[in-house]
Amino acid sequence: MIPEKIIDQVLEDDHIMENSTFYDNSGVAPYLMSEAFDVLSQVEQKSLVFVCDVIYNAHILSYHQEPHYDMDQMTLAEEKNWQIRESNKNWDTTKDLFFDNYKEEDLLAFVEDYLSDNEDAKLTEIGSEMIFITAKSYIDSISGGA
């Protein structure tokens, strides 16, 4: 599990994010910038990339290696996570289910906090949900799931 202190270190140390290899080495960056996310506003797209970049760098800092990314794992995780979302009318109930016994709870809490604390960015409700579910799917795909 990646602890909150590692996530905070990534966020507080400008050197880490400025020298991130996320765009070149993460594997997920091209997907996040694909037309699949054209429904998101530019601010929402940047927010999605930012949270995944933080997740990527927190993994490196914690495990001293880049996360192994597999698009098939990402696709399976997204399908599973969207099924959970679609089976619940209430977003808060859905998030509770996502957090229930989740081994990377601190990473997921970071994403939730970022989205809720970023009200000035004018994120739409569906955009926030999409960012959250995509970020969770990324975490699932590099950490072996829930």
Side-chain angles (χ1 to χ4, degrees):
M1 182 173 133
I2 297 173
E4 182 179 358
K5 71 178 188 170
I6 295 286
I7 300 163
D8 289 343
Q9 186 177 350
V10 170
L11 293 169
E12 293 167 5
D13 185 343
D14 293 336
H15 179 75
I16 292 172
M17 293 300 283
E18 287 172 4
N19 294 300
S20 177
T21 59
F22 177 76
Y23 290 96
D24 298 324
N25 297 340
S26 71
V28 74
Y31 172 61
L32 299 179
M33 293 179 263
S34 73
E35 62 186 40
F37 296 97
D38 283 352
V39 297
L40 296 176
S41 70
Q42 189 174 28
V43 169
E44 290 168 334
Q45 289 174 348
K46 287 180 180 182
S47 295
L48 173 60
V49 170
F50 175 77
V51 297
C52 289
D53 194 356
V54 170
I55 292 164
Y56 171 83
N57 281 288
H59 186 283
I60 291 172
L61 196 57
S62 188
Y63 298 112
H64 308 291
Q65 65 182 14
E66 292 177 343
H68 173 73
Y69 172 75
D70 181 302
M71 186 61 196
D72 291 336
Q73 288 295 102
M74 178 78 171
T75 301
L76 290 172
E78 280 187 311
E79 288 173 5
K80 176 185 166 197
N81 290 326
W82 279 110
Q83 285 175 350
I84 292 168
R85 173 60 185 118
E86 290 167 3
S87 68
N88 292 284
K89 290 183 180 184
N90 183 300
W91 176 237
D92 289 330
T93 302
T94 303
K95 284 193 297 185
D96 289 344
L97 290 170
F98 286 147
F99 276 99
D100 191 34
N101 295 317
Y102 194 63
K103 71 179 183 179
E104 291 294 352
E105 184 176 344
D106 288 351
L107 282 175
L108 202 56
F110 153 70
V111 175
E112 179 184 36
D113 291 347
Y114 178 83
L115 294 172
S116 64
D117 293 346
N118 211 350
E119 293 175 6
D120 292 340
K122 296 186 172 51
L123 305 175
T124 63
E125 186 176 325
I126 190 63
S128 292
E129 289 182 24
M130 193 171 182
I131 292 165
F132 185 93
I133 290 173
T134 303
K136 181 184 182 297
S137 300
Y138 179 54
I139 296 166
D140 292 349
S141 72
I142 63 172
S143 69

